[in-house]
Amino acid sequence: MFVKLLTIVFFFVSLFSQLLKSSSQSLDNFTYNGFHPPLTANLTLQGIASVTPEGLLQLTDTTRHKTGQAFYNQPIRFKDSPNGTVFSFSTTFVFSIKAMFRTLSGHGIAFVVAPNFVVPVADSSFEHLGLFNPNMARKGTNDTFAVALNTIHNAEHSDINDNTIGIDIAGLYSGKSLPAGYWNETGQFIDLTLNSGDQMQVWVDYDGLTHQIDVTIAPFNHDKPIKPLVSSVRDLSLVLLQDMFVGFSSETGSAWSEHLVFGWSFRLKGKAPPLDLQRLPKFPELQYGGGAISRLAVLFIVMLIITLCFIFSIIFRVRFFLRRRKKFAEKLEDWETEFKKNRLKFKDLYYATKGFKEKNLLGSGGFGSVYKGVMPKTENEIAVKRVSDQSQQGLKEFVSEIVTIGRMSHRNLVPLLGYCRRKKELLLVYEYMPNGSLDKYLYNSSEATLNWQQRITIIKGVASALFFLHDDWEQVVIHRDIKASNVLLDAEYNGRLGDFGLARLCGHGTDIQTTHVAGTWGYLAPDLMRTGKATTATDVFAFGVLLLEVACGRHPIEIDNESGERTLLKDSVFGVWSEGNILDAKDPNLGTVYDQREVEMVLKLGLLCSHSNPQARPSMRQVLHYLSGDAMLPDLSPLDLLGSEMMLGTHHGLSEIGMFTGGSSMVDSVLSVGR
Ligand SMILES: Nc1ncnc2c1ncn2[C@@H]1O[C@H](COP(=O)(O)OP(=O)(O)OP(=O)(O)O)[C@@H](O)[C@H]1O
Ligand SMILES: *[C@@H]1O[C@H](CO)[C@@H](O)[C@H](O)[C@H]1NC(C)=O
Ligand SMILES: *[C@@H]1O[C@H](CO)[C@@H](O)[C@H](O)[C@H]1NC(C)=O
Ligand SMILES: *[C@@H]1O[C@H](CO)[C@@H](O)[C@H](O)[C@H]1NC(C)=O
Ligand SMILES: *[C@@H]1O[C@H](CO)[C@@H](O)[C@H](O)[C@H]1NC(C)=O
Ligand SMILES: *[C@@H]1O[C@H](CO)[C@@H](O)[C@H](O)[C@H]1NC(C)=O
Ligand SMILES: [Mg+2]
């Protein structure tokens, strides 16, 4: 009885100890959903293998010719006894191989079952996943089972190409090796590229009874394909020892590639525990040629640069805008509201003349420079006169006068399109006259000249314009600056008078007590110089000089090169007439087709208009009659004219005008009223 009891007790004790024993060596499964502490304590890393802070098992980084291994550091009992049969086992893992180039990469990853986790590090010049040696000389390789993911072609292996999965048993020999891929649900084979950098999952299953070894691969998040990729029947009992270590081995070659394992599970005697794919570490940041610039950092830098560029462009634009606004600011004064319609925007004029470029400069006179332009919207050609530094006093009257005259638009006045006032500048916008000013045709015989018909048309035009200003208009307007350069020619060579009233603007308003005389040498009437007061008669004087100029093709004052003596055109015509035929004074470039009597009439009218005595000068109304032939010029002789000048005692010749320095086309000199 006691013995029986003892036997039972012994049985239970032995059963319990058996249970205890089996539980003490119950290490038959483990799961790594990412490699995080404290579980990483059970990993032994060799070579350049490491575990990243994100929980990635990084077998190799981007260094070349290096190996890396990671083994579970607890032995796994694959057999009951050294001569026993190997149990079923199963493992699965998620990996990624990122290569520098698709066709050139490291060698791949191998899942290894080895007798010792201290696998000798292979000579890195050989290419055997850091595991096998071509001469099979390395210890321990006889008892090794491996599943290799090969990404490099190696003639020494029987690998088919550089993208294969093979089973390696007891050394180098690849029991079976096939191109990576899987069969999907409909039985289609889908290729996989091992070193694409994509995450993929591998399953390795060994059946202890049938000795069937199955290796399956699928893309990440894909169910395990039913049909394995590589299958082999081999009794591993002859290969594996009783206690073995499991792990991974990897190697880089002359081109870098990064070998990563995201998760791993293993079970003896059963299916490997499924990995929790959602819990696996996220894909690591990109690495650039070994320098660990994280994708986030790159993104941040790019964003920063874009933001900075954006901010700078905004600042630049705002500054540009403000500057432009300042540059093109339009200040309207109270009195200008009346002329709003005629006021043009400086901005438009600025763009029309391309910023008042030198190229667009038509010429400069006493009041400023004239620029050619094209109005942006209407594409009308314009001439913009920039009158600078004019006195603000009298500006209002001037603007009102020229704007009202501009509105009247006489066919022989250069149309005024508008004006613009900016700071101390006044801009007058005229219609562009394609044929320029009259002076360009008169004196230079080599260049284009005008025939008599054209000249008489121009003279008549100017006369009618001047008559319009003097008589036809509700208030008397004195031009003050009649001269050849202010007679512009339109497309049909009609004479058009420009720059009316400008002289007054610079001559300080309508004040009779003015101390300034404005006008141009040779066109200044003696009475104007004496009194400083411009009248219609002083305009007629200048018109007379213009008549002589047009008929003779000579300057109003000619300076002798040798003696420096100045000769008034008026005097020299008078001299020719005194000697006999006044027609000898005509322009030799006139050609032969002209009306002699008309030329003679114009010459005589010129002398009459430029008579020293203002009372002796005809009015513009009379001038028009003479020119049109409606009235005959009084039959004058040189003596009559001379006599009347002598009687007045004001026949002024060179002596009087010579005191002014000639040369400049325009004068704004100070003459005291008393003189
Ligand atoms: N509307 C226009 N169309 C074409 N060219 C013009 C026009 N206005 C002026 N010009 C050209 O510009 C040049 C300069 O004109 P500006 O009036 O400034 O000088 P000026 O006539 O010689 O002297 P002043 O200042 O006494 O009038 C003229 O010689 C003429 O050729
Ligand atoms: C897995 O291993 C743990 C101990 O590590 C054990 O408690 C558990 O029972 C094992 N599970 C299976 C299914 O073998
Ligand atoms: C991990 O390894 C330690 C010893 O390093 C051991 O005590 C522990 O049991 C191991 N854990 C597992 C789950 O195997
Ligand atoms: C295992 O087999 C070897 C011969 O192959 C033999 O010598 C040894 O005794 C056996 N051991 C056991 C425990 O069966
Ligand atoms: C490996 O096996 C071969 C025969 O297959 C044998 O010649 C060699 O000695 C073995 N090496 C080791 C280390 O056991
Ligand atoms: C299997 O792959 C083929 C070819 O790519 C495809 O046409 C088919 O839809 C796939 N079947 C499934 C179930 O995804
Ligand atoms: Mg002018």
Side-chain angles (χ1 to χ4, degrees):
M1 185 65 199
F2 179 70
V3 173
K4 221 172 183 178
L5 194 78
L6 210 71
T7 318
I8 291 167
V9 166
F10 180 72
F11 172 77
F12 273 103
V13 165
S14 69
L15 188 82
F16 190 65
S17 77
Q18 197 70 35
L19 266 172
L20 213 90
K21 196 182 164 204
S22 76
S23 80
S24 79
Q25 42 169 254
S26 69
L27 172 58
D28 52 10
N29 79 88
F30 58 80
T31 305
Y32 283 99
N33 286 309
F35 298 85
H36 302 286
L39 291 180
T40 45
N42 295 75
L43 284 180
T44 293
L45 305 175
Q46 294 177 81
I48 57 170
S50 67
V51 169
T52 69
E54 302 92 51
L56 278 165
L57 175 56
Q58 188 180 41
L59 292 169
T60 68
D61 58 16
T62 54
T63 350
R64 295 159 195 209
H65 295 295
K66 291 280 187 228
T67 60
Q69 280 121 13
F71 277 89
Y72 194 79
N73 64 11
Q74 303 296 304
I76 291 166
R77 181 143 289 188
F78 278 86
K79 303 175 180 179
D80 273 336
S81 67
N83 286 355
T85 55
V86 167
F87 304 131
S88 300
F89 67 87
S90 165
T91 191
T92 182
F93 58 93
V94 172
F95 76 95
S96 155
I97 302 174
K98 251 190 292 179
M100 182 163 70
F101 307 111
R102 160 68 189 86
T103 51
L104 194 65
S105 74
H107 307 132
I109 298 177
F111 166 74
V112 180
V113 181
N116 198 324
F117 65 72
V118 192
V119 173
V121 172
D123 183 338
S124 61
S125 63
F126 296 113
E127 305 165 335
H128 308 99
L129 299 179
L131 192 60
F132 307 117
N133 178 295
N135 303 319
M136 292 182 66
R138 187 168 291 117
K139 273 186 173 176
T141 54
N142 269 11
D143 314 310
T144 307
F145 164 80
V147 172
L149 314 175
N150 295 303
T151 54
I152 193 161
H153 180 78
N154 190 327
E156 290 160 303
H157 291 256
S158 55
D159 299 336
I160 297 159
N161 61 20
D162 61 352
N163 185 49
T164 59
I165 297 183
I167 299 168
D168 287 302
I169 296 166
L172 184 65
Y173 173 70
S174 186
K176 203 154 186 193
S177 186
L178 285 170
Y182 69 101
W183 279 271
N184 74 3
E185 286 85 335
T186 47
Q188 297 278 325
F189 186 77
I190 315 284
D191 287 316
L192 288 176
T193 301
L194 294 175
N195 64 0
S196 63
D198 295 338
Q199 282 172 295
M200 289 173 223
Q201 189 167 4
V202 170
W203 295 264
V204 178
D205 302 291
Y206 175 71
D207 190 320
L209 289 174
T210 61
H211 305 156
Q212 167 109 4
I213 308 165
D214 285 338
V215 181
T216 317
I217 185 166
F220 186 67
N221 251 332
H222 194 280
D223 288 338
K224 183 182 177 183
I226 296 154
K227 185 176 174 189
L229 173 69
V230 189
S231 289
S232 188
V233 176
R234 187 78 179 261
D235 186 2
L236 292 182
S237 308
L238 305 174
V239 178
L240 301 185
L241 308 181
Q242 184 176 17
D243 289 320
M244 298 290 278
F245 292 88
V246 291
F248 299 98
S249 183
S250 189
E251 185 179 350
T252 59
S254 43
W256 64 261
S257 57
E258 209 181 356
H259 299 97
L260 299 167
V261 181
F262 294 77
W264 177 31
S265 72
F266 179 89
R267 173 172 289 149
L268 203 61
K269 305 177 203 166
K271 289 275 166 237
L275 295 173
D276 185 349
L277 298 182
Q278 305 320 311
R279 272 180 59 206
L280 297 191
K282 291 292 161 277
F283 218 84
E285 306 307 339
L286 271 177
Q287 298 216 347
Y288 291 99
I293 305 166
S294 75
R295 193 182 289 183
L296 213 74
V298 170
L299 199 79
F300 180 75
I301 290 168
V302 167
M303 291 287 283
L304 198 78
I305 290 170
I306 290 172
T307 312
L308 283 182
C309 285
F310 187 70
I311 288 171
F312 274 123
S313 85
I314 283 185
I315 289 174
F316 186 78
R317 266 182 221 188
V318 165
R319 261 187 53 167
F320 179 78
F321 184 75
L322 287 180
R323 268 195 194 173
R324 229 179 61 160
R325 247 179 69 150
K326 209 180 140 196
K327 189 171 174 181
F328 297 132
E330 303 276 343
K331 260 201 261 148
L332 217 69
E333 273 176 34
D334 288 347
W335 58 266
E336 284 188 276
T337 46
E338 197 187 328
F339 311 116
K340 227 176 183 168
K341 256 191 8 217
N342 296 86
R343 191 171 159 148
L344 300 169
K345 283 202 177 105
F346 180 72
K347 191 172 131 184
D348 290 343
L349 300 182
Y350 186 86
Y351 287 126
T353 57
K354 301 202 170 82
F356 297 103
K357 253 201 198 143
E358 199 67 37
K359 224 184 86 191
N360 286 30
L361 186 68
L362 287 169
S364 297
F367 306 107
S369 304
V370 180
Y371 296 85
K372 188 190 169 174
V374 177
M375 278 311 256
K377 277 160 216 156
T378 55
E379 301 212 328
N380 285 340
E381 285 187 312
I382 55 167
V384 182
K385 182 160 197 157
R386 263 185 123 164
V387 184
S388 50
D389 231 348
Q390 93 288 1
S391 58
Q392 294 294 307
Q393 177 203 354
L395 180 68
K396 179 188 165 180
E397 288 81 10
F398 173 73
V399 168
S400 85
E401 185 179 291
I402 60 164
V403 167
T404 37
I405 297 169
R407 273 186 209 148
M408 280 304 288
S409 84
H410 185 273
R411 54 186 287 269
N412 291 108
L413 286 176
V414 176
L416 180 84
L417 301 176
Y419 79 102
C420 170
R421 214 170 44 74
R422 183 174 161 268
K423 289 175 190 163
K424 293 220 101 187
E425 265 181 337
L426 177 72
L427 294 116
L428 297 171
V429 183
Y430 295 100
E431 208 173 284
Y432 177 71
M433 293 291 126
N435 285 314
S437 48
L438 178 62
D439 56 331
K440 302 210 169 70
Y441 299 87
L442 289 182
Y443 321 118
N444 202 336
S445 51
S446 64
E447 288 201 1
T449 181
L450 300 165
N451 61 35
W452 180 250
Q453 194 47 50
Q454 287 170 312
R455 292 188 200 203
I456 194 74
T457 311
I458 291 163
I459 288 169
K460 283 176 180 167
V462 173
S464 97
L466 201 53
F467 169 67
F468 172 77
L469 293 180
H470 285 179
D471 276 355
D472 235 9
W473 181 242
E474 54 212 36
Q475 80 202 67
V476 176
V477 177
I478 300 164
H479 187 286
R480 287 162 205 255
D481 197 15
I482 291 166
K483 59 173 173 176
S485 79
N486 281 343
V487 173
L488 294 147
L489 304 180
D490 64 17
E492 287 90 39
Y493 286 92
N494 290 310
R496 285 176 175 234
L497 199 50
D499 287 338
F500 38 85
L502 256 185
R504 192 195 51 192
L505 183 70
C506 289
H508 288 263
T510 49
D511 188 3
I512 313 167
Q513 295 302 306
T514 180
T515 52
H516 286 76
V517 170
T520 304
W521 285 114
Y523 296 94
L524 290 180
D527 46 309
L528 174 61
M529 292 202 282
R530 221 171 15 250
T531 63
K533 188 174 185 291
T535 59
T536 52
T538 58
D539 266 0
V540 172
F541 181 92
F543 179 72
V545 175
L546 182 73
L547 288 182
L548 295 177
E549 224 180 321
V550 172
C552 304
R554 282 162 65 186
H555 286 284
I557 303 177
E558 274 169 350
I559 302 163
D560 191 83
N561 279 346
E562 280 148 36
S563 61
E565 265 186 280
R566 296 177 176 85
T567 317
L568 282 178
L569 176 58
K570 173 191 151 183
D571 289 344
S572 80
V573 174
F574 191 76
V576 170
W577 192 15
S578 307
E579 279 165 25
N581 192 357
I582 195 170
L583 270 176
D584 292 344
K586 72 164 173 58
D587 190 350
N589 289 320
L590 218 49
T592 47
V593 187
Y594 56 87
D595 183 339
Q596 284 205 3
R597 277 175 305 157
E598 210 171 30
V599 178
E600 199 179 317
M601 184 267 289
V602 167
L603 283 167
K604 284 180 185 168
L605 183 60
L607 286 177
L608 188 62
C609 287
S610 57
H611 197 281
S612 301
N613 181 4
Q615 268 87 51
R617 294 170 205 155
S619 71
M620 281 319 290
R621 186 184 292 276
Q622 286 170 302
V623 169
L624 271 185
H625 286 314
Y626 295 142
L627 284 174
S628 63
D630 291 349
M632 288 297 288
L633 206 62
D635 196 14
L636 294 163
S637 71
L639 276 173
D640 294 336
L641 218 74
L642 186 67
S644 62
E645 295 230 345
M646 292 298 246
M647 245 167 56
L648 208 75
T650 56
H651 173 66
H652 73 93
L654 312 174
S655 49
E656 202 171 334
I657 202 95
M659 56 179 284
F660 301 105
T661 44
S664 154
S665 75
M666 156 43 213
V667 68
D668 187 11
S669 84
V670 181
L671 289 174
S672 80
V673 183
R675 226 208 63 82

